[in-house]
Amino acid sequence: MTRAPAIVLSVVVALGASLATSCSRKPASAAALKPTAFGAAIVESSGGKQIAQTGGLLPQPVIVQVNDEQGTAVTGALVDFSGPAGVSFDPASALTDSSGQVTTNVSLGGMAGRYKVTASTIDKAHKTVEITLDEIALGYSQTLGRQLNEQYCERCHNPESTVERVSNYDNLEVKPHPFTEGDTYNKISDADLTAIISHGGPALNKSALMPAWGNTLSKSEIQALISYIRAVSDPPIRNAGPVYAKN
Amino acid sequence: MKEILKSFWQKLFGDSVRAFGVVSLVFLASLAIAPAKNFFSEWRHYQHGYLRMIRNRSDANTLQRHFQGGIQQIWLPELGVTDRCTSCHVGLKEAGLTDVGTQPFRKHPAIPHAIDQFGCTVCHRGQGAATTVAEAHNSTLAWEQPILPAKYIESSCGECHRGSVPGTPQLTQGRQLLSRYGCVHCHTVKRPDGSTMKPTDDPPSLSHIADKTSREWVYAWLKDPQAYATTATMPNFKLSDDDARDMSAFLIANSTPLPGDTATLTAKPASDPAAGPSLYGESFCASCHAVQNAAGNLVGGDVGPELTRVGSKVKPEWLQAWLRSPRVYDAETAMPHYRFSDPQVATLSGFLLAKADSDLLANVHLDAATPQQIAHGKRLVSDYGCASCHEIAGIKKPENFAPELSRIGSKPVTQLIFLPGMPHTLPDYIAGKIKQPRAFSPGLKMPQYSFGPAQIDALTTALLALNDRASTLPPSLTVPAVPESSYEPAGKAGKLMSDLACFSCHRINGHGGTMAPDLTWEGSSVQRQWLVEFLKNPNTLRPSLIRRMPRFNLTDGEVKELTDYMMTVYQSPSVDRDSMLLSGYTPGQIELGKQLFYGKYSCQGCHIVDTKTDKGYIGPTLTHVGSRLTAAWIFEWMKNPQALRPGTAEPNRAMSDGDARALTAFLISQKGGAKQEVAKK
């Protein structure tokens, strides 16, 4: 008899749950694709190691290619994309085109961090072969850091020129390190980064070509820059925060 | 059946003692429902999970101490916030939990607002008072505001922040797109502060279109604007061949010639393979106009229209008149009035006319228009609301042509019609409408834009920010936008400046473009003689910039007019330009400045003083700075550059007066002894 409330409750919960599921309208899933060919390997053509804002689209689509044993592109192989919760693909699966490629637009999940996204295909033996790409989602402070980087730092620290501006990197007698260079930045503590950004190169016995920004940028802006540097470093620093992967 | 029931009844309530027993049991059971519900509640489940998770961590003690069991609530009546989210999201404020990736236990990422002061639903939406996941996150019958997907989160910043905020690029981009693509021509958007969003796409008047282009081009453009220019902001109305034929017929028939709108030159357009590109380059046309190069990439700015196929569009006589004096055809144009000579106009127009695409009009064959076609075209032009954007003689700009969007972010889901397969949420609806408006009904008038997925997300973000909460927030809780400045310089110089379209690139007193330096305090900053020379023959100050100041062939009188005005009016109250000398510094001071320049401050990282040794490519070249800037300006600039020009990339070095004076002495002694030779990359 004492179980009565639990029974009553479970009935209520079950009713509620069924109501909830019947109300949540799932989008109709696309008709299943049938592969017309099978490859032996799947490789990245482009789109790995990109940076987006949380929940946002990667700036470039992800393109993967399916090859056979000889390394020739296979047309009509089925490629499925998958990733951790919150990551979405448009399309989530497709057949390779005449150059053996599939292109998908990827939106990352709602939390800042590194995301592993997987592209897989089935080979002739019905075994799954897959490739995993790393992508980065920036939260608020990293996005702010990225904007500050573009405004103040990038022209020295990024060797690549853009359409708008020529990089100053080659003109510097002492070369700064691009912020993606994890091997360098992962060895510098947050405190040291703060010191060199605030007080300039000489603060860490480095070149005065690295100016002091402590009177130009606020403490929280410098913090934002550091969180950006930590977010984009490759390889990632230890304790960089969670990595989101499938399951 | 009846018998069974009867005996059952008898069994339970046969005698009064038994009846009492049964009734009290039922009563007790019903009393237990509430505690049981509480005991089995989701939040309790999550709180247990949290405690299990922190148990084995090194910081367990601290976390344990901070933990508070039971339903938690943030109550902020002035914001309408009653948020119980922290009942499950237990670790939101725990600095130690940055490594935790599982929800609901993650630490909230760093943002400029404290959770206790803003709650959760102000940014994330959803139902704050709910105590179950489903009710808090999803839309239910009683409450349709679901949680906001992360990709639109910046829309919530926009509810209070009416201007652009750092760290919200998507919101800023979306707001710009609403103006840039002219959405707000047809859809009224009143911002929560009462101002109305203005379009910035500057669609041309069509009243004199026949002077400028052919009916064939109009037809091809109407059918597919992006086929002519991939960057065209004009959307595709998906017109049938017949409709495009009739609309082009009407627009051409309706066009009247404008005096001075076409020109006959003494010189014929010359397609000189060398002179054309070099004049186009020297005039820095590419600062504003893009052209597709051989590799298919667009090179150039987006202030003016793309010119990849301009030769297939414009009539030579019109182009020449335009190049000679664009304000005749369009008084408001952003294009400067270059004072080109006739031979220059011939060279440049020849160069531009050669930018043609023979495929564009190859399949357009139009018979002479009939009066019926013209009449039908006129009706279509009204029906599609062309006059919402374009001035068209004889057709009035329609009022409220499309639904107002001032509160679109609060539109009830029950009022929306969704496409099959589309998730029933407002953001999905808005994004779907922008992506493919006619998918909702083929008869809809909203045209097809060529937005990419990121642009659609940005637009949706900006629209979601236009909601009831934003409109009803008390002003004390909002951060107003910097009001748009309508500054116009006065008098003859003012006329000259608008003729030269200085404001297309330069900003003065908050008005104008951002491509080129802000000139608000130019009169304090530069020496008069330098300004005179520069206006006559602008040379490049910032070698790393691809966009540069063009030469306008100004007369001496015009140069004097501009110089007088700028030197008198554009003065900073904090810089007295005559307070420091332009020469006469001691060699000792100059030498000290030089050491500071190359040593302590290492200015050569960004600037060039000696072209033989220095390579800095970010800031202006300083080889001639002693004949360009005033000493007082240099001194104040050394002390605090951001105070003189907010946002400048020059770092504030908090220099002592002594260092600043020595650097001023060194810099003012740089009068351009060595010839300027900047390696171009």
Side-chain angles (χ1 to χ4, degrees):
Chain A
M1 265 324 221
T2 47
R3 287 175 54 193
I7 293 170
V8 171
L9 192 72
S10 57
V11 170
V12 170
V13 167
L15 266 176
S18 62
L19 205 81
T21 41
S22 66
C23 282
S24 73
R25 308 139 183 116
K26 289 231 173 67
S29 64
L33 292 166
K34 275 244 155 54
T36 57
F38 299 90
I42 185 163
V43 293
E44 173 189 349
S45 297
S46 65
K49 291 197 177 152
Q50 292 190 74
I51 298 172
Q53 280 179 261
T54 45
L57 269 174
L58 293 179
Q60 300 298 322
V62 165
I63 306 176
V64 295
Q65 180 170 335
V66 175
N67 293 334
D68 62 13
E69 288 86 348
Q70 283 76 45
T72 326
V74 175
T75 303
L78 178 65
V79 175
D80 284 310
F81 294 97
S82 58
V87 177
S88 64
F89 301 89
D90 182 20
S93 57
L95 299 180
T96 51
D97 62 12
S98 57
S99 46
Q101 293 185 331
V102 165
T103 303
T104 188
N105 286 310
V106 183
S107 297
L108 298 184
M111 287 183 279
R114 294 170 195 258
Y115 284 78
K116 296 208 170 287
V117 300
T118 306
S120 64
T121 189
I122 314 163
D123 68 6
K124 289 197 186 77
H126 291 280
K127 277 217 334 251
T128 304
V129 284
E130 57 178 40
I131 177 176
T132 299
L133 309 182
D134 291 335
E135 313 289 1
I136 296 169
L138 303 183
Y140 171 81
S141 60
Q142 293 101 323
T143 300
L144 190 59
R146 167 150 81 165
Q147 288 181 328
L148 292 165
N149 168 46
E150 280 162 13
Q151 191 177 355
Y152 296 108
C153 323
E154 188 167 55
R155 275 172 283 164
C156 285
H157 277 267
N158 186 350
E160 307 289 325
S161 295
T162 69
V163 181
E164 299 291 312
R165 288 191 189 276
V166 180
S167 170
N168 193 44
Y169 179 86
D170 288 338
N171 303 319
L172 294 169
E173 221 150 85
V174 184
K175 301 286 180 240
H177 296 273
F179 293 135
T180 44
E181 240 181 69
D183 289 333
T184 303
Y185 287 94
N186 296 349
K187 292 194 204 107
I188 311 180
S189 69
D190 279 13
D192 280 351
L193 283 180
T194 311
I196 190 170
I197 298 173
S198 308
H199 306 300
L204 288 193
N205 277 329
K206 290 183 176 236
S207 162
L209 283 169
M210 166 65 192
W213 297 94
N215 298 301
T216 313
L217 304 174
S218 68
K219 283 209 173 66
S220 65
E221 286 175 321
I222 292 173
Q223 198 49 48
L225 273 164
I226 294 174
S227 74
Y228 169 75
I229 294 173
R230 296 303 189 208
V232 299
S233 75
D234 179 27
I237 189 170
R238 276 185 58 217
N239 308 328
V243 174
Y244 301 101
K246 222 176 5 170
N247 302 324
Chain B
M1 187 65 196
K2 218 172 168 186
E3 286 302 304
I4 302 172
L5 273 178
K6 208 167 178 180
S7 78
F8 187 63
W9 183 259
Q10 277 293 327
K11 252 187 205 150
L12 286 180
F13 302 104
D15 68 80
S16 56
V17 177
R18 206 183 285 170
F20 178 71
V22 172
V23 169
S24 33
L25 271 177
V26 170
F27 182 64
L28 270 177
S30 62
L31 272 186
I33 290 179
K37 248 175 100 174
N38 189 358
F39 183 78
F40 290 108
S41 62
E42 269 178 314
W43 56 264
R44 197 177 288 277
H45 163 77
Y46 286 120
Q47 291 186 354
H48 285 309
Y50 178 76
L51 292 171
R52 265 198 310 280
M53 181 196 80
I54 61 174
R55 201 182 297 150
N56 299 322
R57 293 175 59 97
S58 55
D59 50 357
N61 281 341
T62 327
L63 295 171
Q64 185 79 48
R65 215 168 344 103
H66 294 174
F67 174 77
Q68 284 177 315
I71 291 204
Q72 303 295 312
Q73 177 171 295
I74 300 169
W75 185 53
L76 304 165
E78 71 280 15
L79 280 172
V81 161
T82 315
D83 287 352
R84 301 182 174 154
C85 317
T86 44
S87 307
C88 297
H89 292 272
V90 194
L92 279 187
K93 288 185 274 180
E94 292 298 345
L97 293 181
T98 35
D99 56 330
V100 174
T102 39
Q103 286 294 38
F105 304 140
R106 242 203 124 174
K107 178 196 173 284
H108 196 281
I111 51 165
H113 297 314
I115 295 171
D116 299 333
Q117 283 167 21
F118 287 85
C120 309
T121 51
V122 167
C123 302
H124 292 279
R125 310 200 188 170
Q127 186 179 6
T131 53
T132 66
V133 178
E135 281 189 0
H137 291 187
N138 302 337
S139 66
T140 63
L141 292 177
W143 175 275
E144 68 166 31
Q145 180 69 74
I147 210 151
L148 190 65
K151 67 171 161 180
Y152 306 121
I153 195 76
E154 289 174 18
S155 71
S156 301
C157 311
E159 290 177 11
C160 307
H161 294 270
R162 272 71 199 267
S164 81
V165 230
T168 61
Q170 185 165 316
L171 172 68
T172 308
Q173 186 198 5
R175 285 173 169 169
Q176 282 166 354
L177 286 171
L178 284 173
S179 292
R180 173 76 188 148
Y181 279 80
C183 312
V184 295
H185 282 295
C186 294
H187 298 278
T188 303
V189 176
K190 278 211 203 70
R191 298 194 190 90
D193 64 9
S195 62
T196 306
M197 258 190 194
K198 299 245 165 43
T200 54
D201 55 339
D202 196 17
S205 158
L206 304 181
S207 299
H208 316 290
I209 179 115
D211 286 354
K212 181 183 195 170
T213 185
S214 66
R215 184 175 161 212
E216 282 70 19
W217 182 84
V218 174
Y219 173 90
W221 169 262
L222 285 171
K223 288 285 291 178
D224 185 357
Q226 281 69 35
Y228 169 74
T230 47
T231 53
T233 54
M234 162 112 167
N236 190 328
F237 284 81
K238 304 274 173 195
L239 300 171
S240 70
D241 291 356
D242 286 357
D243 285 357
R245 175 196 66 200
D246 296 354
M247 287 165 84
S248 63
F250 166 70
L251 288 173
I252 295 295
N254 193 51
S255 165
T256 50
L258 196 70
D261 184 5
T262 55
T264 348
L265 293 183
T266 41
K268 283 261 155 307
S271 50
D272 182 329
S278 102
L279 184 55
Y280 186 83
E282 272 165 35
S283 310
F284 293 107
C285 308
S287 298
C288 298
H289 296 281
V291 171
Q292 225 169 32
N293 64 14
N297 299 322
L298 278 173
V299 181
D302 64 355
V303 177
E306 180 186 332
L307 299 178
T308 311
R309 300 178 181 83
V310 66
S312 304
K313 172 183 177 182
V314 294
K315 295 183 173 171
E317 319 80 83
W318 179 86
L319 179 61
Q320 284 156 4
W322 173 265
L323 290 173
R324 203 195 267 169
S325 184
R327 254 161 215 80
V328 174
Y329 188 76
D330 179 359
E332 301 290 314
T333 182
M335 167 106 169
H337 175 192
Y338 286 81
R339 276 86 171 129
F340 287 130
S341 66
D342 269 14
Q344 281 181 316
V345 169
T347 306
L348 203 49
S349 60
F351 172 72
L352 290 172
L353 290 168
K355 295 190 175 302
D357 177 352
S358 52
D359 292 344
L360 188 73
L361 305 179
N363 295 318
V364 184
H365 306 290
L366 299 169
D367 295 327
T370 66
Q372 289 85 349
Q373 288 173 352
I374 293 174
H376 183 233
K378 179 169 186 177
R379 212 161 46 246
L380 290 169
V381 164
S382 317
D383 283 355
Y384 280 110
C386 306
S388 296
C389 302
H390 298 279
E391 182 193 301
I392 305 172
I395 298 195
K396 273 226 300 285
K397 177 176 162 56
E399 297 288 330
N400 302 325
F401 188 70
E404 181 170 339
L405 299 179
S406 311
R407 292 221 187 174
I408 179 76
S410 290
K411 192 153 174 140
V413 174
T414 45
Q415 290 179 15
L416 305 176
I417 296 166
F418 292 94
L419 291 182
M422 179 182 248
H424 284 213
T425 73
L426 181 63
D428 284 294
Y429 171 81
I430 295 178
K433 270 283 199 180
I434 300 171
K435 187 173 179 192
Q436 250 192 330
R438 303 255 177 108
F440 288 74
S441 159
L444 292 182
K445 286 182 187 155
M446 167 134 170
Q448 179 69 48
Y449 283 84
S450 46
F451 294 126
Q455 288 175 311
I456 293 177
D457 286 352
L459 280 162
T460 309
T461 303
L463 289 174
L464 287 169
L466 299 164
N467 58 29
D468 290 348
R469 187 205 292 275
S471 309
T472 54
L473 276 174
S476 61
L477 293 176
T478 66
V479 185
V482 181
E484 281 162 52
S485 157
S486 55
Y487 168 76
E488 290 288 346
K492 252 168 106 181
K495 272 223 187 70
L496 197 50
M497 284 165 81
S498 59
D499 194 39
L500 294 168
C502 305
F503 290 92
S504 295
C505 304
H506 292 281
R507 184 171 284 254
I508 301 176
N509 291 325
H511 172 63
T514 50
M515 189 199 294
D518 191 308
L519 300 180
T520 307
W521 291 335
E522 191 71 357
S524 303
S525 129
V526 301
Q527 298 174 24
R528 184 190 176 87
Q529 195 45 41
W530 175 85
L531 187 56
V532 169
E533 294 301 325
F534 184 77
L535 288 173
K536 275 195 204 153
N537 191 12
N539 52 3
T540 299
L541 285 174
R542 286 176 183 72
S544 75
L545 292 185
I546 285 154
R547 294 168 173 170
R548 291 173 194 172
M549 168 95 169
R551 192 161 101 189
F552 293 115
N553 295 340
L554 298 171
T555 65
D556 287 350
E558 287 173 330
V559 168
K560 181 169 183 320
E561 190 70 52
L562 284 173
T563 314
D564 284 349
Y565 191 82
M566 291 169 78
M567 293 307 288
T568 331
V569 179
Y570 297 145
Q571 289 210 51
S572 159
S574 59
V575 182
D576 175 1
R577 75 174 171 229
D578 300 320
S579 65
M580 283 176 81
L581 297 175
L582 297 179
S583 56
Y585 295 89
T586 65
Q589 259 178 322
I590 294 174
E591 182 54 34
L592 178 61
K594 183 173 182 177
Q595 280 166 16
L596 291 170
F597 186 92
Y598 287 105
K600 183 169 174 188
Y601 297 110
S602 288
C603 314
Q604 76 278 17
C606 297
H607 297 279
I608 294 169
V609 160
D610 183 343
T611 50
K612 288 201 265 320
T613 54
D614 309 345
K615 295 198 205 126
Y617 227 67
I618 297 182
T621 304
L622 301 177
T623 45
H624 297 61
V625 67
S627 12
R628 177 164 71 91
L629 297 180
T630 62
W633 177 269
I634 298 179
F635 180 81
E636 294 298 335
W637 183 267
M638 293 296 114
K639 301 278 297 171
N640 187 350
Q642 277 75 25
L644 296 180
R645 201 168 282 156
T648 177
E650 170 103 51
N652 177 343
R653 316 300 286 264
M655 253 178 229
S656 66
D657 282 6
D659 281 6
R661 208 167 291 124
L663 274 165
T664 307
F666 171 62
L667 290 174
I668 214 74
S669 69
Q670 304 304 317
K671 311 254 188 216
K675 236 184 95 198
Q676 192 178 346
E677 39 177 74
V678 177
K680 247 204 195 160
K681 290 195 25 166

